[in-house]
Amino acid sequence: MEFKISKQLIAEIEQLIESGQDGQLETLLNDLHHADIAEILDELDVADATYIFKILDTDKTAEILLELDEETREDILEQLSPKEIAEELDALDTNDAVDIISELPQSIKEEVILELQDVEHAKDIVELLRYDEHTAGGLMHKELVKVNENWNVLTCVKEMRIQAENVTRVHSIYVVDDEDRLKGRLSLKDLLTTSTKTAIGDIYIRKLNSVKIDTEDVEVARIMQKYDLEAIPVVDEMGILVGRITIDDIVDVIKDEADKDYQLAAGITQDVEVGDSVLEMTKARLPWLLIGMVIELIASVVLKDNETAFKKYETLILFIPLLSATAGNIGVQASAIVVQGLANGSVKEFNRNYFSKEVTVSMISGIIISLLLLAYHSFMFGEYMVGIAISISMISVIMIAATLGTLVPLILNKYKIDPAIATGPFVTTTNDVVGIMLYFFIARTILSV
Amino acid sequence: MEFKISKQLIAEIEQLIESGQDGQLETLLNDLHHADIAEILDELDVADATYIFKILDTDKTAEILLELDEETREDILEQLSPKEIAEELDALDTNDAVDIISELPQSIKEEVILELQDVEHAKDIVELLRYDEHTAGGLMHKELVKVNENWNVLTCVKEMRIQAENVTRVHSIYVVDDEDRLKGRLSLKDLLTTSTKTAIGDIYIRKLNSVKIDTEDVEVARIMQKYDLEAIPVVDEMGILVGRITIDDIVDVIKDEADKDYQLAAGITQDVEVGDSVLEMTKARLPWLLIGMVIELIASVVLKDNETAFKKYETLILFIPLLSATAGNIGVQASAIVVQGLANGSVKEFNRNYFSKEVTVSMISGIIISLLLLAYHSFMFGEYMVGIAISISMISVIMIAATLGTLVPLILNKYKIDPAIATGPFVTTTNDVVGIMLYFFIARTILSV
């Protein structure tokens, strides 16, 4: 059923391009979905990709443009004149067009806008370009189907037929008053199931969720998920219907959010992908490595200060990696649960019940690990007091790590910093240092060094 | 616009329940969205929640049931008779009903099924219960709108009005032949924009994606995202249309996948939430801590073997935390990029270009870090040879970590193990041990200890 790209197919296509058999090329490609053609173009070199791009008609290429990898898209657009780019954009939904325009260099951007043929469309694009991409305004399409509360089903359907021409997916129909203020919605289902004489005023649903133009994208995603919406209308300060956000735009927001958390946890600042340049990758990663380094240099100082202790009881040293790793692991576990809780709304602020639960969990883990460690140490080295010292410091370090792991994300969140950072290198390495300090402090007290 | 739950509201509701003012309670609640009522019930104690549950009518409570936290749902269902539960399920879409049934204890499950009134609905539910929840069959609804290829638009619309009654969202209309084999789809838009006399055969779109009943849920999600679909039909081995998956079901799959990766990276095996019991949490977390512990015990052995080295050059010890942390961080970074690449399909197998890129990135980072370290060491301790030894081992450890970080997820993936494990405790702690070994090996060779 589904298309699979193959080396042979690529070879065949390159062959057809070389021998300039545009006819065959077209017939071959026109059978494919634009997402699949995009996949092919990503595999070809710029020249070939542009060649194909130019023989296909605009409706298709415009859609392809959206599916291409960023680099391939840039490469191809560089080969096109502002006029040619404008033609592509004329064939796209407003917010898709905006996504592409905003990737263009400023100078070209303006030329392209001037070249846009459909004036209404151009106006909409210029309007959308004004909004921050991380707000409802940046996510919304201008394309939607709206009807006046004073019409009846028949007029409504007639009007919709016209409007629907420019709308990829109708979803629900919005009902507005004469000033275009959003009053409610009309479900397609209702429309299918009521007689044509009925007045819209009698059948439309007055209660519906909408978002303000400046609502944050993640908030829009949360609302659409909570109320299980496939589209949500966007209104301006005066309650006038200005656009619509559909679930497929939200899917990306949700994925990006989740990916961002994962990357922060892995110590990667911006969204890097396999395709990115060495420079981009280094820029996204080196800072975290350096932060980690500086923090761990403190650890080296701490160790230096405790020389006397581990010179006297050298087994203390042997368990430093175990100590840091365990503290790190439990800290990250604790943070991860809170971070996800904050993300899905099940955690809002510090919660005593949850905290005591976390403390219990880490207490149990701590005791088990410490006892195992005590057994191991006694078996390997005898020196019971040292073993006890190590075990006790281990359990305390675990408790501290769990506590920090739980609190740090909450604190970060309170100060509007992404809590996912708590599962990243910065906090884990800090955990190391704190852990090592505590470890020696307790060990020395017990062994009175 | 959006509902915000408040302490006052809860108090008011508890008051109304106490004084048994069902009337006011109903009027108050009927204005609210079921997702909001669910939020309220989650806050109330079981008795109150069940009380409210019983005064609201089934259409509402059924929807509420879906939105409740798992615990609250369990608690309430325990208060209901199989007959009452069956009534709720009769009001739900098949796959929503199935989600709830599958949470019930086996014995009750069967009683409930017997109590279902709508036989067709019951049949569908029983059918869906057979499919693995992580396949298309487990995700799909039985509710959909299908028309016969031999009808015309008018008959089609008539039929649809009837069918649409049981379908929450119409999306596209599927076209089948007399044997119910899926032939294509009819977009609502087309239907709105063509005359009623047109024959379906002339306007329906023959090309459409569909998935097999046993397709994995993540694969379904990938296809729906790639082709930007809001619904996809599910067919059986004979190509017969058996159900439909809508984007809102897929949103959960996507979120769960992303969350799973994040949790594996954080060393949490099953999907734990803030609400889970101490036991569940410990079960999900302790194993990773113990694995980490065992691995780090090897590190302690390695350290023991190198006593002579760090007794002679004690500064070697001071940088062990720095070494492990850096190796860990760079390893996780490398893995995370590959893991996400595998997830979004941009990485499929070992790729020389990407690998050499990764090596370059870590080489650059390694050189910078080692030079800084060398400078620091020389400044603090003089002993240049030792500083050089440490720096050289550091850079080699970084290179190894980056290599393992890149390869491990690919290997795991090859053997059908979730590659996200590579960003978790197991691999990072292993990295530690390998790092420390290498560190001392190189240091000792250079310093000939």
Side-chain angles (χ1 to χ4, degrees):
Chain A
M1 189 69 225
E2 195 209 351
F3 165 83
K4 286 262 166 290
I5 191 166
S6 70
K7 292 218 171 3
Q8 299 87 304
L9 179 64
I10 297 294
E12 183 185 351
I13 289 171
E14 287 171 334
Q15 214 294 315
L16 288 170
I17 294 173
E18 216 178 315
S19 54
Q21 292 162 282
D22 300 1
Q24 268 136 293
L25 214 44
E26 268 184 274
T27 33
L28 172 69
L29 294 172
N30 281 329
D31 284 352
L32 298 176
H33 187 283
H34 52 78
D36 299 324
I37 302 181
E39 228 177 289
I40 296 173
L41 297 193
D42 287 330
E43 295 299 315
L44 298 169
D45 60 45
V46 193
D48 289 354
T50 321
Y51 184 90
I52 289 183
F53 203 81
K54 290 195 169 174
I55 59 174
L56 296 174
D57 47 1
T58 324
D59 305 6
K60 200 132 194 168
T61 50
E63 292 296 332
I64 294 172
L65 214 45
L66 293 174
E67 304 289 338
L68 289 170
D69 286 346
E70 210 172 317
E71 309 86 71
T72 322
R73 180 162 52 235
E74 270 179 32
D75 295 342
I76 292 182
L77 288 175
E78 277 171 17
Q79 310 298 315
L80 303 179
S81 71
K83 192 170 188 337
E84 287 170 315
I85 298 178
E87 281 162 13
E88 303 293 334
L89 301 185
D90 274 320
L92 286 175
D93 273 6
T94 47
N95 76 337
D96 295 331
V98 167
D99 292 344
I100 288 177
I101 286 191
S102 34
E103 284 177 14
L104 296 171
Q106 193 55 37
S107 57
I108 301 173
K109 199 182 286 185
E110 286 149 9
E111 290 182 58
V112 170
I113 292 170
L114 293 176
E115 293 286 357
L116 289 167
Q117 290 312 304
D118 177 339
V119 183
E120 275 313 306
H121 196 236
K123 269 193 205 147
D124 290 340
I125 292 174
V126 173
E127 179 196 337
L128 290 186
L129 274 168
R130 278 202 306 266
Y131 306 119
D132 170 355
E133 61 169 328
H134 292 300
T135 63
L139 277 176
M140 72 185 187
H141 301 245
K142 295 297 292 183
E143 291 80 4
L144 52 78
V145 177
K146 62 180 177 192
V147 298
N148 189 301
E149 55 181 344
N150 307 320
W151 298 344
N152 67 14
V153 172
L154 188 66
T155 354
C156 176
V157 171
K158 281 211 205 82
E159 279 295 327
M160 281 168 56
R161 290 195 178 172
I162 304 157
Q163 296 184 30
E165 292 291 355
N166 317 313
V167 182
T168 323
R169 292 193 184 102
V170 175
H171 287 296
S172 51
I173 302 124
Y174 299 117
V175 180
V176 295
D177 63 14
D178 300 334
E179 279 69 39
D180 251 355
R181 278 189 295 256
L182 181 66
K183 307 296 286 184
R185 68 181 179 85
L186 201 61
S187 83
L188 272 165
K189 206 179 105 186
D190 299 341
L191 207 65
L192 285 169
T193 49
T194 48
S195 98
T196 54
K197 292 158 222 61
T198 329
I200 297 301
D202 304 339
I203 57 168
Y204 83 81
I205 305 146
R206 278 159 180 75
K207 279 188 62 193
L208 92 163
N209 287 76
S210 67
V211 289
K212 288 254 164 10
I213 203 147
D214 57 1
T215 309
E216 263 185 49
D217 56 1
V218 284
E219 177 64 5
V220 177
R222 204 186 53 69
I223 295 175
M224 289 185 76
Q225 281 183 84
K226 177 178 176 188
Y227 296 112
D228 195 13
L229 306 171
E230 299 208 331
I232 193 165
V234 182
V235 296
D236 69 5
E237 298 68 15
M238 292 145 62
I240 290 175
L241 178 63
V242 289
R244 181 185 72 155
I245 296 168
T246 50
I247 186 84
D248 52 314
D249 306 313
I250 288 304
V251 168
D252 302 335
V253 175
I254 293 167
K255 270 194 105 250
D256 294 350
E257 264 306 292
D259 290 352
K260 206 169 90 278
D261 285 358
Y262 183 66
Q263 290 180 314
L264 280 174
I268 303 173
T269 20
Q270 76 247 37
D271 189 1
V272 272
E273 280 179 355
V274 183
D276 292 350
S277 74
V278 169
L279 181 65
E280 287 170 298
M281 285 212 183
T282 317
K283 274 200 341 231
R285 294 164 55 174
L286 188 55
W288 289 109
L289 296 173
L290 293 176
I291 292 172
M293 172 180 187
V294 173
I295 297 170
E296 294 293 355
L297 282 178
I298 304 172
S300 72
V301 176
V302 175
L303 284 174
K304 183 96 182 110
D305 296 343
N306 292 281
E307 258 175 332
T308 42
F310 62 68
K311 277 201 173 134
K312 188 137 181 265
Y313 302 101
E314 68 202 15
T315 54
L316 286 179
I317 289 173
L318 307 185
F319 298 102
I320 288 173
L322 168 55
L323 176 103
S324 322
T326 315
N329 290 342
I330 204 151
V332 169
Q333 288 178 333
S335 297
I337 296 173
V338 176
V339 169
Q340 292 198 320
L342 287 164
N344 64 35
S346 60
V347 178
K348 281 166 193 64
E349 67 241 322
F350 178 80
N351 169 322
R352 182 172 285 98
N353 304 345
Y354 173 65
F355 185 66
S356 53
K357 197 191 300 179
E358 175 60 37
V359 171
T360 324
V361 173
S362 44
M363 179 77 83
I364 296 170
S365 316
I367 292 171
I368 295 173
I369 289 171
S370 310
L371 288 179
L372 290 170
L373 186 56
L374 180 57
Y376 175 84
H377 188 277
S378 319
F379 173 74
M380 295 289 290
F381 312 98
E383 306 178 303
Y384 298 104
M385 273 317 287
V386 181
I388 290 167
I390 293 176
S391 307
I392 293 177
S393 8
M394 175 60 89
I395 194 167
S396 345
V397 169
I398 288 177
M399 300 305 295
I400 295 290
T403 311
L404 290 180
T406 314
L407 298 183
V408 171
L410 292 170
I411 296 164
L412 290 175
N413 187 60
K414 189 148 184 282
Y415 293 103
K416 304 260 168 293
I417 304 166
D418 191 325
I421 289 177
T423 47
F426 177 68
V427 176
T428 45
T429 44
T430 314
N431 237 322
D432 265 14
V433 180
V434 177
I436 294 172
M437 280 185 187
L438 196 69
Y439 176 69
F440 278 106
F441 173 73
I442 295 173
R444 290 175 73 161
T445 330
I446 293 173
L447 302 167
S448 54
V449 190
Chain B
M1 188 70 225
E2 196 208 351
F3 165 84
K4 285 263 167 289
I5 191 165
S6 71
K7 292 219 173 0
Q8 299 87 304
L9 179 64
I10 297 293
E12 183 185 351
I13 289 171
E14 286 171 334
Q15 215 293 315
L16 288 171
I17 294 173
E18 217 177 315
S19 52
Q21 292 162 284
D22 300 1
Q24 268 135 294
L25 213 45
E26 269 185 273
T27 33
L28 172 68
L29 294 172
N30 281 329
D31 284 353
L32 298 176
H33 186 284
H34 52 79
D36 298 325
I37 302 181
E39 229 177 287
I40 295 172
L41 297 193
D42 286 329
E43 295 300 314
L44 297 170
D45 58 45
V46 193
D48 289 355
T50 320
Y51 185 90
I52 288 183
F53 202 81
K54 291 194 168 175
I55 59 174
L56 296 174
D57 48 2
T58 324
D59 305 7
K60 201 131 195 168
T61 50
E63 292 296 332
I64 294 172
L65 215 45
L66 293 174
E67 305 289 336
L68 289 171
D69 288 345
E70 211 172 315
E71 309 87 69
T72 322
R73 180 161 53 233
E74 270 178 33
D75 295 343
I76 293 182
L77 289 176
E78 278 171 16
Q79 309 299 316
L80 303 179
S81 71
K83 192 170 186 338
E84 287 171 314
I85 297 177
E87 281 162 14
E88 302 295 332
L89 301 185
D90 273 320
L92 286 174
D93 273 5
T94 47
N95 76 337
D96 294 331
V98 167
D99 292 343
I100 289 178
I101 286 192
S102 35
E103 283 177 16
L104 295 171
Q106 192 56 37
S107 57
I108 301 173
K109 198 182 285 183
E110 286 150 9
E111 291 182 56
V112 169
I113 292 170
L114 294 176
E115 291 287 357
L116 289 167
Q117 291 312 305
D118 176 341
V119 184
E120 275 312 307
H121 196 235
K123 270 193 206 147
D124 290 341
I125 292 175
V126 174
E127 179 195 337
L128 291 187
L129 273 168
R130 276 200 310 253
Y131 306 120
D132 169 355
E133 60 169 329
H134 292 299
T135 63
L139 278 175
M140 72 185 186
H141 302 246
K142 295 298 292 184
E143 291 81 3
L144 50 78
V145 177
K146 63 181 177 189
V147 298
N148 188 302
E149 55 180 343
N150 307 319
W151 297 346
N152 68 14
V153 172
L154 188 64
T155 353
C156 176
V157 171
K158 282 211 205 84
E159 278 295 329
M160 281 169 54
R161 291 197 177 169
I162 304 157
Q163 297 183 30
E165 292 292 356
N166 318 315
V167 182
T168 323
R169 291 192 183 105
V170 175
H171 286 297
S172 50
I173 302 123
Y174 300 118
V175 181
V176 294
D177 64 15
D178 301 333
E179 279 69 38
D180 251 355
R181 278 189 296 256
L182 180 66
K183 308 296 286 184
R185 67 181 179 85
L186 200 60
S187 82
L188 272 165
K189 204 180 108 185
D190 299 341
L191 207 65
L192 284 169
T193 50
T194 48
S195 99
T196 54
K197 290 158 224 61
T198 329
I200 298 301
D202 303 340
I203 56 168
Y204 83 81
I205 305 147
R206 277 161 179 72
K207 279 188 61 190
L208 91 164
N209 287 78
S210 67
V211 288
K212 287 253 164 14
I213 202 145
D214 57 0
T215 309
E216 263 185 46
D217 56 0
V218 286
E219 177 64 6
V220 177
R222 204 186 53 69
I223 294 174
M224 289 185 77
Q225 283 183 81
K226 177 177 176 189
Y227 296 113
D228 194 12
L229 307 171
E230 300 208 331
I232 193 164
V234 182
V235 295
D236 69 7
E237 299 66 19
M238 293 146 63
I240 290 176
L241 178 62
V242 288
R244 181 185 73 154
I245 296 169
T246 50
I247 186 84
D248 51 314
D249 307 312
I250 289 305
V251 169
D252 302 335
V253 175
I254 293 167
K255 275 195 98 241
D256 294 350
E257 264 306 292
D259 290 351
K260 204 169 91 276
D261 285 359
Y262 182 68
Q263 289 178 315
L264 280 174
I268 303 173
T269 20
Q270 76 248 34
D271 189 1
V272 270
E273 280 179 353
V274 183
D276 292 350
S277 73
V278 169
L279 182 65
E280 288 170 299
M281 284 211 182
T282 317
K283 273 198 343 229
R285 294 165 55 174
L286 189 55
W288 290 109
L289 296 173
L290 293 176
I291 292 171
M293 172 179 186
V294 172
I295 296 169
E296 294 293 354
L297 282 178
I298 304 171
S300 72
V301 176
V302 176
L303 284 174
K304 184 94 182 110
D305 296 344
N306 291 281
E307 258 175 333
T308 42
F310 62 69
K311 278 204 173 131
K312 187 138 182 262
Y313 302 102
E314 70 204 14
T315 54
L316 287 179
I317 289 173
L318 308 185
F319 298 102
I320 288 173
L322 168 55
L323 176 102
S324 322
T326 314
N329 290 342
I330 204 151
V332 170
Q333 288 178 335
S335 297
I337 295 173
V338 176
V339 169
Q340 292 199 320
L342 287 164
N344 65 35
S346 60
V347 179
K348 280 165 194 62
E349 67 241 325
F350 178 81
N351 168 322
R352 183 172 284 95
N353 304 346
Y354 173 66
F355 185 67
S356 53
K357 197 192 298 178
E358 174 60 36
V359 172
T360 324
V361 173
S362 45
M363 179 77 84
I364 296 169
S365 316
I367 292 171
I368 295 174
I369 289 170
S370 309
L371 288 179
L372 290 170
L373 186 56
L374 180 57
Y376 175 83
H377 187 277
S378 319
F379 174 75
M380 295 289 290
F381 312 97
E383 305 179 304
Y384 299 104
M385 273 319 285
V386 182
I388 290 167
I390 293 175
S391 308
I392 293 177
S393 5
M394 176 61 88
I395 194 168
S396 346
V397 170
I398 288 177
M399 300 305 294
I400 296 291
T403 311
L404 291 179
T406 315
L407 299 184
V408 171
L410 293 171
I411 296 164
L412 290 176
N413 187 60
K414 190 147 183 282
Y415 293 103
K416 305 262 169 292
I417 304 166
D418 192 325
I421 289 176
T423 48
F426 177 68
V427 176
T428 45
T429 44
T430 314
N431 238 323
D432 266 14
V433 179
V434 177
I436 293 173
M437 280 184 186
L438 197 70
Y439 175 71
F440 278 107
F441 173 74
I442 295 173
R444 290 175 74 161
T445 332
I446 294 173
L447 302 166
S448 52
V449 190

